[in-house]
Amino acid sequence: MDTAVIQKDLGLPVGEAIFGKTILILGFGAIGMEIAKRLRPFGVKILATKRNWSSNTVSCDLDGLVDKKGGPEDMYELVQEADIVITCMTLNNESVGIVDHKFLSALKRGSYLINIARGRLRDYTAVFNHLESGHLGGLGIDVAWTEPFDPEDPILKSPNVIITPHVAGITELVVGDVALKLHAGEPFTEIEFVN
């Protein structure tokens, strides 16, 4: 704080508002939908991709929630409009490395990438090169390329990268429910064990 006071930087904005930004959600399943619901009040334009947009695969009314929707084949077109991309798609044979050089090159310079799904959705070399060149403005991840992640990974040393532990679903409500079920000897039916 002394530095901020001495440099007379106290009160200068330290981040950017998302109001008016365009956000692309890759993988508009249950998690993507919840993200869109939480983002909508912030005045953002929401673009989304989903393999199948039929009414029986979408569990909510999309009117007013998604401004533009497309399939996986539309992601290169949609990403050109995005200021922020959030990947929350399933990892499978088709999606491994889907965030690659071609995809990142289509992003506007200075855009942000946030991955909350699986680390292998991103092509490591492509992300590294786009961060280093400044084309990718920042990276937010709660999953690394490999688990456990390498603390010496050069991407993690970048000043415009934030990594958090993949524990978004661990809240006092979930932990409390699990404790009650454990105590009662009931089976865990709502927990997905991964890895």
Side-chain angles (χ1 to χ4, degrees), residues 14-18 21-24 79 82-87 99 103-104 107-115 131 134-140 159-162:
V14 294
E16 289 181 51
I18 62 171
K21 301 285 187 197
T22 299
I23 300 177
L24 171 60
V79 74
D83 299 299
I84 301 167
V85 175
I86 302 173
T87 57
V99 178
F103 181 83
L104 293 170
L107 254 174
K108 293 190 277 188
R109 183 173 183 76
S111 294
Y112 298 92
L113 174 64
I114 301 169
N115 186 9
L131 274 170
H135 186 83
L136 186 57
L139 175 67
N160 54 348
V161 172
I162 296 173

Side-chain angles (χ1 to χ4, degrees), residues 18 31 41-42 79 84 92 108 118 122-123 133 148 159 166 169 184:
I18 62 171
I31 294 171
F42 289 97
V79 74
I84 301 167
N92 56 39
K108 293 190 277 188
R118 297 286 178 248
R122 301 167 312 232
D123 174 284
S133 74
H166 192 62

Side-chain angles (χ1 to χ4, degrees), residues 43-154:
V44 298
K45 179 179 179 183
I46 297 175
L47 318 176
T49 64
K50 182 174 177 61
R51 278 184 270 167
N52 181 355
W53 286 96
S54 70
S55 60
N56 60 346
T57 65
V58 180
S59 62
C60 77
D61 181 16
L62 292 176
D63 288 339
L65 190 57
V66 177
D67 297 295
K68 190 185 280 187
K69 54 188 180 182
E73 68 279 2
D74 302 310
M75 67 181 220
Y76 296 105
E77 177 188 331
L78 294 172
V79 74
Q80 294 175 38
E81 299 179 46
D83 299 299
I84 301 167
V85 175
I86 302 173
T87 57
C88 47
M89 58 186 12
T90 308
L91 182 65
N92 56 39
N93 290 338
E94 292 90 41
S95 64
V96 170
I98 199 163
V99 178
D100 59 6
H101 176 75
K102 179 181 177 184
F103 181 83
L104 293 170
S105 295
L107 254 174
K108 293 190 277 188
R109 183 173 183 76
S111 294
Y112 298 92
L113 174 64
I114 301 169
N115 186 9
I116 60 168
R118 297 286 178 248
R120 290 183 32 223
L121 290 172
R122 301 167 312 232
D123 174 284
Y124 181 90
T125 304
V127 171
F128 179 80
N129 291 339
H130 281 82
L131 274 170
E132 199 168 63
S133 74
H135 186 83
L136 186 57
L139 175 67
I141 54 176
D142 76 342
V143 288
W145 284 265
T146 58
E147 300 290 343
F149 71 89
D150 176 6
E152 297 304 314
D153 184 331

Side-chain angles (χ1 to χ4, degrees), residues 176-186 188:
D177 287 348
V178 170
L180 288 172
K181 285 185 182 250
L182 240 170
H183 183 70
E186 295 176 17
F188 297 124

